[in-house]
Amino acid sequence: EPEVTQTPSHQVTQMGQEVILRCVPISNHLYFYWYRQILGQKVEFLVSFYNNEISEKSEIFDDQFSVERPDGSNFTLKIRSTKLEDSAMYFCASRKDRGGGELFFGEGSRLTVL
Amino acid sequence: RKEVEQDPGPFNVPEGATVAFNCTYSNSASQSFFWYRQDCRKEPKLLMSVYSSGNEDGRFTAQLNRASQYISLLIRDSKLSDSATYLCVVNDYKLSFGAGTTVTVRA
């Protein structure tokens, strides 16, 4: 069964460092998403991506965040200068269409900022 | 009003019991919805899609009430393996998640 894969599964970094989280969405999917979930809290939307550009982003997705699809398969989330409050589980997700299709999640990348 | 609100629970029920809980949403234009389940520290996984008045899949029944803007999930004959957090998701442009309802099924 096709799946969304994410790397790394866990990353520990120092405050102020740059982090890149990687995702490989399901190959025939067109819409890509990043969500984050702070421990014990709800899943929060960060950004959606379609046709090689950001289609929507939340207030959380400020200038320290960026996304890219560098090679047609990977979908990356970059956090330029990490803060303590960026510690969370980051989930990548993809789906085939926007109308109503199921959103498939990766297993997540746990980011710990010290 | 929050975009998606759920009763956080927890609902503690014995095996075999029926448990039901609701989710309310604020965007009256929303057309479709999902119930996802999330186990501790894992990714959300789709349980059911809800497009019209409701959906049924085995022991799970989802109902949609557009007039009152809520979706419900009912679990019949609950099993220990049903213990999880159930996330209500509204299919707007970004897919808005509720905070989840925690269900614990005890032996």
Side-chain angles (χ1 to χ4, degrees):
Chain A
E1 185 179 315
E3 58 181 18
V4 177
T5 57
Q6 288 186 242
T7 54
S9 55
H10 188 194
Q11 181 153 359
V12 181
T13 190
Q14 295 290 325
M15 194 167 55
Q17 295 297 304
E18 176 182 284
V19 160
I20 297 175
L21 306 178
R22 292 184 168 79
C23 169
V24 179
I26 295 172
S27 61
N28 62 345
H29 286 189
L30 301 176
Y31 295 86
F32 314 120
Y33 303 79
W34 282 102
Y35 292 85
R36 80 170 185 192
Q37 188 174 31
I38 295 169
L39 189 63
Q41 296 187 25
K42 64 181 285 187
V43 176
E44 299 175 291
F45 169 77
L46 291 177
V47 66
S48 61
F49 195 85
Y50 170 71
N51 201 27
N52 285 319
E53 60 183 27
I54 291 174
S55 42
E56 289 92 20
K57 60 182 181 178
S58 71
E59 292 174 353
I60 304 167
F61 195 86
D62 60 23
D63 291 344
Q64 68 161 341
F65 291 94
S66 62
V67 289
E68 203 175 36
R69 194 146 193 257
D71 56 14
S73 60
N74 287 285
F75 178 49
T76 62
L77 175 70
K78 182 192 287 188
I79 309 174
R80 257 181 282 282
S81 177
T82 49
K83 307 191 203 59
L84 295 175
E85 55 265 36
D86 293 329
S87 295
M89 180 74 94
Y90 288 81
F91 290 110
C92 174
S94 70
R95 60 176 174 173
K96 198 180 294 187
D97 62 75
R98 190 176 171 174
E102 177 185 349
L103 193 64
F104 290 81
F105 283 85
E107 293 186 340
S109 292
R110 180 166 297 284
L111 177 64
T112 302
V113 183
L114 303 176
Chain B
R1 185 178 177 183
K2 289 183 186 173
E3 291 173 322
V4 187
E5 285 199 77
Q6 293 186 245
D7 183 341
F11 288 82
N12 293 303
V13 299
E15 266 187 298
T18 295
V19 59
F21 39 89
N22 290 339
C23 163
T24 58
Y25 59 95
S26 60
N27 184 357
S28 59
S30 300
Q31 293 295 310
S32 58
F33 310 85
F34 303 104
W35 281 106
Y36 276 76
R37 82 170 264 165
Q38 186 176 31
D39 295 293
C40 188
R41 296 185 176 234
K42 300 281 191 180
E43 76 275 23
K45 292 191 175 173
L46 182 69
L47 180 67
M48 301 182 75
S49 305
V50 187
Y51 295 110
S52 54
S53 61
N55 194 4
E56 186 172 330
D57 183 4
R59 299 182 293 107
F60 297 85
T61 301
Q63 289 198 316
L64 170 61
N65 184 316
R66 289 191 191 276
S68 301
Q69 292 181 215
Y70 74 84
I71 315 113
S72 63
L73 182 67
L74 182 144
I75 308 172
R76 279 185 298 278
D77 187 24
S78 50
K79 314 282 184 204
L80 294 175
S81 57
D82 295 333
S83 298
T85 297
Y86 291 85
L87 307 175
C88 174
V89 184
V90 175
N91 189 26
D92 53 20
Y93 65 92
K94 59 183 181 178
L95 293 155
S96 298
F97 280 73
T101 298
T102 300
V103 173
T104 303
V105 181
R106 62 182 189 273

Short mmCIF file of all heavy atoms in Angstrom, two decimals, chain B residues 46-91:
data_model
loop_
_atom_site.label_atom_id
_atom_site.label_comp_id
_atom_site.label_asym_id
_atom_site.label_seq_id
_atom_site.Cartn_x
_atom_site.Cartn_y
_atom_site.Cartn_z
N LEU B 46 -7.38 7.58 8.86
CA LEU B 46 -8.78 7.76 8.50
C LEU B 46 -9.64 6.63 9.05
O LEU B 46 -9.33 5.45 8.87
CB LEU B 46 -8.94 7.83 6.98
CG LEU B 46 -10.37 8.06 6.51
CD1 LEU B 46 -10.81 9.48 6.87
CD2 LEU B 46 -10.49 7.82 5.01
N LEU B 47 -10.72 7.03 9.71
CA LEU B 47 -11.71 6.07 10.18
C LEU B 47 -12.89 6.05 9.22
O LEU B 47 -13.31 5.00 8.74
CB LEU B 47 -12.16 6.44 11.59
CG LEU B 47 -13.18 5.55 12.24
CD1 LEU B 47 -12.60 4.18 12.54
CD2 LEU B 47 -13.70 6.19 13.54
N MET B 48 -13.44 7.24 8.96
CA MET B 48 -14.61 7.32 8.08
C MET B 48 -14.66 8.67 7.39
O MET B 48 -14.23 9.67 7.94
CB MET B 48 -15.91 7.21 8.89
CG MET B 48 -16.08 5.95 9.68
SD MET B 48 -17.66 5.94 10.52
CE MET B 48 -18.74 5.62 9.15
N SER B 49 -15.23 8.66 6.20
CA SER B 49 -15.56 9.90 5.51
C SER B 49 -17.06 10.14 5.64
O SER B 49 -17.83 9.18 5.67
CB SER B 49 -15.21 9.80 4.02
OG SER B 49 -13.86 9.43 3.85
N VAL B 50 -17.47 11.40 5.69
CA VAL B 50 -18.89 11.73 5.84
C VAL B 50 -19.23 12.76 4.78
O VAL B 50 -18.75 13.90 4.86
CB VAL B 50 -19.22 12.27 7.24
CG1 VAL B 50 -20.72 12.45 7.40
CG2 VAL B 50 -18.66 11.36 8.31
N TYR B 51 -20.01 12.38 3.80
CA TYR B 51 -20.31 13.30 2.70
C TYR B 51 -21.76 13.75 2.68
O TYR B 51 -22.05 14.86 2.31
CB TYR B 51 -19.99 12.65 1.35
CG TYR B 51 -18.53 12.36 1.18
CD1 TYR B 51 -18.05 11.06 1.18
CD2 TYR B 51 -17.62 13.39 1.01
CE1 TYR B 51 -16.70 10.80 1.03
CE2 TYR B 51 -16.27 13.14 0.84
CZ TYR B 51 -15.82 11.84 0.85
OH TYR B 51 -14.49 11.58 0.70
N SER B 52 -22.68 12.89 3.07
CA SER B 52 -24.08 13.30 3.01
C SER B 52 -24.63 13.27 4.43
O SER B 52 -24.08 13.88 5.32
CB SER B 52 -24.85 12.39 2.06
OG SER B 52 -24.67 11.03 2.42
N SER B 53 -25.69 12.56 4.65
CA SER B 53 -26.29 12.59 5.98
C SER B 53 -25.53 11.73 6.97
O SER B 53 -25.68 11.90 8.18
CB SER B 53 -27.74 12.13 5.91
OG SER B 53 -27.81 10.81 5.42
N GLY B 54 -24.74 10.81 6.45
CA GLY B 54 -24.00 9.97 7.37
C GLY B 54 -23.34 8.80 6.67
O GLY B 54 -23.35 8.72 5.44
N ASN B 55 -22.76 7.95 7.47
CA ASN B 55 -22.03 6.81 6.94
C ASN B 55 -21.96 5.75 8.02
O ASN B 55 -21.96 6.08 9.22
CB ASN B 55 -20.62 7.27 6.52
CG ASN B 55 -19.93 6.25 5.65
OD1 ASN B 55 -20.51 5.24 5.28
ND2 ASN B 55 -18.68 6.52 5.33
N GLU B 56 -21.94 4.51 7.60
CA GLU B 56 -21.83 3.42 8.56
C GLU B 56 -20.78 2.44 8.06
O GLU B 56 -20.74 2.10 6.88
CB GLU B 56 -23.18 2.71 8.73
CG GLU B 56 -23.18 1.65 9.83
CD GLU B 56 -24.57 1.10 10.12
OE1 GLU B 56 -25.55 1.84 9.95
OE2 GLU B 56 -24.67 -0.07 10.51
N ASP B 57 -19.94 2.00 8.99
CA ASP B 57 -18.91 1.03 8.64
C ASP B 57 -18.73 0.10 9.83
O ASP B 57 -18.06 0.44 10.80
CB ASP B 57 -17.60 1.76 8.32
CG ASP B 57 -16.50 0.80 7.88
OD1 ASP B 57 -16.77 -0.41 7.74
OD2 ASP B 57 -15.37 1.27 7.66
N GLY B 58 -19.41 -1.04 9.72
CA GLY B 58 -19.31 -2.00 10.81
C GLY B 58 -19.89 -1.44 12.10
O GLY B 58 -21.05 -1.02 12.16
N ARG B 59 -19.07 -1.38 13.12
CA ARG B 59 -19.53 -0.91 14.43
C ARG B 59 -19.56 0.61 14.54
O ARG B 59 -19.97 1.15 15.56
CB ARG B 59 -18.62 -1.49 15.52
CG ARG B 59 -18.62 -3.01 15.57
CD ARG B 59 -17.73 -3.53 16.70
NE ARG B 59 -16.31 -3.25 16.46
CZ ARG B 59 -15.61 -2.33 17.13
NH1 ARG B 59 -16.19 -1.60 18.07
NH2 ARG B 59 -14.32 -2.15 16.87
N PHE B 60 -19.10 1.28 13.52
CA PHE B 60 -18.97 2.74 13.56
C PHE B 60 -20.04 3.39 12.68
O PHE B 60 -20.22 3.01 11.53
CB PHE B 60 -17.58 3.16 13.07
CG PHE B 60 -16.46 2.65 13.92
CD1 PHE B 60 -15.93 1.39 13.72
CD2 PHE B 60 -15.94 3.44 14.94
CE1 PHE B 60 -14.90 0.92 14.52
CE2 PHE B 60 -14.91 2.99 15.74
CZ PHE B 60 -14.38 1.73 15.53
N THR B 61 -20.72 4.39 13.26
CA THR B 61 -21.72 5.14 12.51
C THR B 61 -21.46 6.62 12.69
O THR B 61 -21.32 7.09 13.83
CB THR B 61 -23.14 4.81 13.00
OG1 THR B 61 -23.38 3.42 12.86
CG2 THR B 61 -24.17 5.60 12.21
N ALA B 62 -21.38 7.32 11.59
CA ALA B 62 -21.23 8.78 11.63
C ALA B 62 -22.51 9.39 11.10
O ALA B 62 -23.07 8.91 10.11
CB ALA B 62 -20.04 9.22 10.80
N GLN B 63 -22.96 10.45 11.74
CA GLN B 63 -24.14 11.17 11.27
C GLN B 63 -23.81 12.64 11.14
O GLN B 63 -23.08 13.21 11.96
CB GLN B 63 -25.30 10.97 12.24
CG GLN B 63 -25.84 9.55 12.18
CD GLN B 63 -27.22 9.44 12.78
OE1 GLN B 63 -27.46 10.02 13.83
NE2 GLN B 63 -28.12 8.72 12.13
N LEU B 64 -24.37 13.24 10.12
CA LEU B 64 -24.15 14.66 9.84
C LEU B 64 -25.48 15.40 9.95
O LEU B 64 -26.46 15.00 9.34
CB LEU B 64 -23.58 14.82 8.44
CG LEU B 64 -23.49 16.23 7.85
CD1 LEU B 64 -22.61 17.13 8.70
CD2 LEU B 64 -23.00 16.18 6.41
N ASN B 65 -25.48 16.44 10.72
CA ASN B 65 -26.65 17.31 10.85
C ASN B 65 -26.26 18.69 10.38
O ASN B 65 -25.63 19.47 11.12
CB ASN B 65 -27.13 17.34 12.30
CG ASN B 65 -28.41 18.14 12.47
OD1 ASN B 65 -28.57 19.24 11.92
ND2 ASN B 65 -29.35 17.60 13.23
N ARG B 66 -26.58 19.00 9.13
CA ARG B 66 -26.14 20.28 8.54
C ARG B 66 -26.88 21.46 9.17
O ARG B 66 -26.30 22.53 9.33
CB ARG B 66 -26.38 20.27 7.04
CG ARG B 66 -25.46 19.35 6.28
CD ARG B 66 -25.56 19.59 4.78
NE ARG B 66 -24.89 18.54 4.03
CZ ARG B 66 -23.58 18.54 3.79
NH1 ARG B 66 -22.82 19.52 4.23
NH2 ARG B 66 -23.03 17.55 3.12
N ALA B 67 -28.11 21.26 9.54
CA ALA B 67 -28.89 22.38 10.11
C ALA B 67 -28.26 22.85 11.42
O ALA B 67 -28.16 24.05 11.68
CB ALA B 67 -30.33 21.94 10.33
N SER B 68 -27.83 21.90 12.22
CA SER B 68 -27.23 22.25 13.51
C SER B 68 -25.71 22.25 13.46
O SER B 68 -25.06 22.53 14.47
CB SER B 68 -27.70 21.27 14.59
OG SER B 68 -29.10 21.29 14.69
N GLN B 69 -25.17 21.93 12.31
CA GLN B 69 -23.72 21.98 12.08
C GLN B 69 -22.96 21.10 13.07
O GLN B 69 -22.07 21.58 13.78
CB GLN B 69 -23.20 23.42 12.08
CG GLN B 69 -23.71 24.21 10.87
CD GLN B 69 -23.21 25.64 10.81
OE1 GLN B 69 -23.92 26.53 10.38
NE2 GLN B 69 -22.00 25.88 11.26
N TYR B 70 -23.36 19.83 13.12
CA TYR B 70 -22.55 18.92 13.91
C TYR B 70 -22.48 17.56 13.21
O TYR B 70 -23.33 17.19 12.41
CB TYR B 70 -23.07 18.79 15.34
CG TYR B 70 -24.33 17.99 15.54
CD1 TYR B 70 -24.29 16.59 15.64
CD2 TYR B 70 -25.57 18.62 15.65
CE1 TYR B 70 -25.44 15.86 15.83
CE2 TYR B 70 -26.72 17.89 15.84
CZ TYR B 70 -26.66 16.51 15.93
OH TYR B 70 -27.81 15.79 16.11
N ILE B 71 -21.41 16.85 13.58
CA ILE B 71 -21.23 15.46 13.13
C ILE B 71 -21.06 14.63 14.39
O ILE B 71 -20.41 15.07 15.34
CB ILE B 71 -19.94 15.29 12.29
CG1 ILE B 71 -19.80 16.40 11.27
CG2 ILE B 71 -19.90 13.94 11.57
CD1 ILE B 71 -18.65 17.31 11.55
N SER B 72 -21.64 13.48 14.38
CA SER B 72 -21.49 12.58 15.53
C SER B 72 -20.80 11.29 15.09
O SER B 72 -20.81 10.93 13.92
CB SER B 72 -22.86 12.28 16.15
OG SER B 72 -23.67 11.58 15.21
N LEU B 73 -20.20 10.66 16.06
CA LEU B 73 -19.62 9.34 15.83
C LEU B 73 -20.12 8.42 16.93
O LEU B 73 -20.06 8.78 18.12
CB LEU B 73 -18.09 9.38 15.84
CG LEU B 73 -17.39 8.05 15.56
CD1 LEU B 73 -17.66 7.59 14.13
CD2 LEU B 73 -15.89 8.15 15.81
N LEU B 74 -20.62 7.28 16.53
CA LEU B 74 -21.11 6.29 17.48
C LEU B 74 -20.33 5.00 17.27
O LEU B 74 -20.15 4.56 16.13
CB LEU B 74 -22.62 6.07 17.25
CG LEU B 74 -23.34 5.10 18.18
CD1 LEU B 74 -24.76 5.58 18.47
CD2 LEU B 74 -23.39 3.69 17.61
N ILE B 75 -19.89 4.45 18.37
CA ILE B 75 -19.16 3.19 18.33
C ILE B 75 -19.98 2.17 19.11
O ILE B 75 -20.24 2.36 20.31
CB ILE B 75 -17.76 3.31 18.96
CG1 ILE B 75 -16.97 4.48 18.35
CG2 ILE B 75 -16.98 2.00 18.81
CD1 ILE B 75 -15.64 4.78 19.05
N ARG B 76 -20.39 1.13 18.41
CA ARG B 76 -21.16 0.06 19.07
C ARG B 76 -20.23 -1.08 19.48
O ARG B 76 -19.18 -1.29 18.85
CB ARG B 76 -22.21 -0.50 18.10
CG ARG B 76 -23.47 0.32 17.97
CD ARG B 76 -24.46 -0.43 17.07
NE ARG B 76 -23.91 -0.59 15.73
CZ ARG B 76 -23.96 0.36 14.79
NH1 ARG B 76 -24.53 1.51 15.06
NH2 ARG B 76 -23.43 0.15 13.60
N ASP B 77 -20.64 -1.82 20.49
CA ASP B 77 -19.89 -3.02 20.90
C ASP B 77 -18.39 -2.71 20.99
O ASP B 77 -17.56 -3.36 20.32
CB ASP B 77 -20.16 -4.15 19.90
CG ASP B 77 -19.57 -5.48 20.33
OD1 ASP B 77 -19.37 -5.68 21.55
OD2 ASP B 77 -19.27 -6.32 19.45
N SER B 78 -18.06 -1.72 21.77
CA SER B 78 -16.68 -1.23 21.77
C SER B 78 -15.69 -2.30 22.21
O SER B 78 -15.98 -3.16 23.06
CB SER B 78 -16.57 0.01 22.66
OG SER B 78 -17.15 -0.21 23.91
N LYS B 79 -14.52 -2.22 21.58
CA LYS B 79 -13.43 -3.16 21.86
C LYS B 79 -12.28 -2.42 22.54
O LYS B 79 -12.18 -1.19 22.42
CB LYS B 79 -12.88 -3.76 20.54
CG LYS B 79 -13.92 -4.25 19.56
CD LYS B 79 -14.47 -5.56 19.95
CE LYS B 79 -15.44 -6.07 18.87
NZ LYS B 79 -16.39 -7.04 19.48
N LEU B 80 -11.41 -3.17 23.19
CA LEU B 80 -10.25 -2.54 23.81
C LEU B 80 -9.44 -1.76 22.79
O LEU B 80 -8.89 -0.69 23.07
CB LEU B 80 -9.36 -3.61 24.47
CG LEU B 80 -9.96 -4.36 25.65
CD1 LEU B 80 -9.00 -5.46 26.12
CD2 LEU B 80 -10.27 -3.42 26.81
N SER B 81 -9.39 -2.30 21.57
CA SER B 81 -8.60 -1.67 20.51
C SER B 81 -9.21 -0.36 20.00
O SER B 81 -8.58 0.34 19.21
CB SER B 81 -8.44 -2.64 19.33
OG SER B 81 -9.71 -3.05 18.86
N ASP B 82 -10.41 -0.06 20.42
CA ASP B 82 -11.02 1.22 20.05
C ASP B 82 -10.48 2.38 20.88
O ASP B 82 -10.78 3.55 20.60
CB ASP B 82 -12.56 1.17 20.20
CG ASP B 82 -13.21 0.17 19.25
OD1 ASP B 82 -12.64 -0.09 18.17
OD2 ASP B 82 -14.30 -0.33 19.60
N SER B 83 -9.72 2.08 21.92
CA SER B 83 -9.15 3.13 22.75
C SER B 83 -8.21 4.00 21.91
O SER B 83 -7.24 3.49 21.34
CB SER B 83 -8.38 2.53 23.93
OG SER B 83 -9.24 1.79 24.76
N ALA B 84 -8.53 5.26 21.81
CA ALA B 84 -7.77 6.17 20.95
C ALA B 84 -8.35 7.57 21.13
O ALA B 84 -9.33 7.77 21.86
CB ALA B 84 -7.87 5.76 19.49
N THR B 85 -7.75 8.51 20.43
CA THR B 85 -8.33 9.85 20.32
C THR B 85 -8.95 9.97 18.94
O THR B 85 -8.32 9.64 17.94
CB THR B 85 -7.27 10.93 20.54
OG1 THR B 85 -6.76 10.82 21.86
CG2 THR B 85 -7.87 12.32 20.36
N TYR B 86 -10.19 10.42 18.90
CA TYR B 86 -10.93 10.51 17.64
C TYR B 86 -10.98 11.98 17.22
O TYR B 86 -11.45 12.83 17.96
CB TYR B 86 -12.32 9.91 17.80
CG TYR B 86 -12.23 8.40 17.98
CD1 TYR B 86 -12.01 7.85 19.24
CD2 TYR B 86 -12.30 7.55 16.88
CE1 TYR B 86 -11.88 6.47 19.40
CE2 TYR B 86 -12.17 6.18 17.04
CZ TYR B 86 -11.96 5.65 18.30
OH TYR B 86 -11.81 4.29 18.45
N LEU B 87 -10.48 12.23 16.03
CA LEU B 87 -10.35 13.59 15.53
C LEU B 87 -11.42 13.86 14.48
O LEU B 87 -11.55 13.12 13.51
CB LEU B 87 -8.97 13.80 14.90
CG LEU B 87 -7.75 13.45 15.75
CD1 LEU B 87 -6.47 13.61 14.93
CD2 LEU B 87 -7.69 14.33 16.98
N CYS B 88 -12.14 14.93 14.69
CA CYS B 88 -13.12 15.40 13.71
C CYS B 88 -12.41 16.36 12.77
O CYS B 88 -11.70 17.26 13.23
CB CYS B 88 -14.25 16.10 14.47
SG CYS B 88 -15.47 16.90 13.44
N VAL B 89 -12.57 16.17 11.48
CA VAL B 89 -11.88 17.00 10.50
C VAL B 89 -12.89 17.55 9.50
O VAL B 89 -13.66 16.80 8.90
CB VAL B 89 -10.81 16.19 9.74
CG1 VAL B 89 -10.04 17.09 8.78
CG2 VAL B 89 -9.86 15.52 10.71
N VAL B 90 -12.87 18.85 9.35
CA VAL B 90 -13.75 19.51 8.39
C VAL B 90 -12.97 19.75 7.11
O VAL B 90 -11.87 20.31 7.14
CB VAL B 90 -14.26 20.85 8.97
CG1 VAL B 90 -15.09 21.59 7.93
CG2 VAL B 90 -15.06 20.61 10.22
N ASN B 91 -13.55 19.32 6.00
CA ASN B 91 -12.86 19.41 4.72
C ASN B 91 -13.05 20.79 4.10
O ASN B 91 -13.73 20.97 3.10
CB ASN B 91 -13.38 18.33 3.78
CG ASN B 91 -12.55 18.24 2.52
OD1 ASN B 91 -11.37 18.59 2.51
ND2 ASN B 91 -13.15 17.78 1.44
#
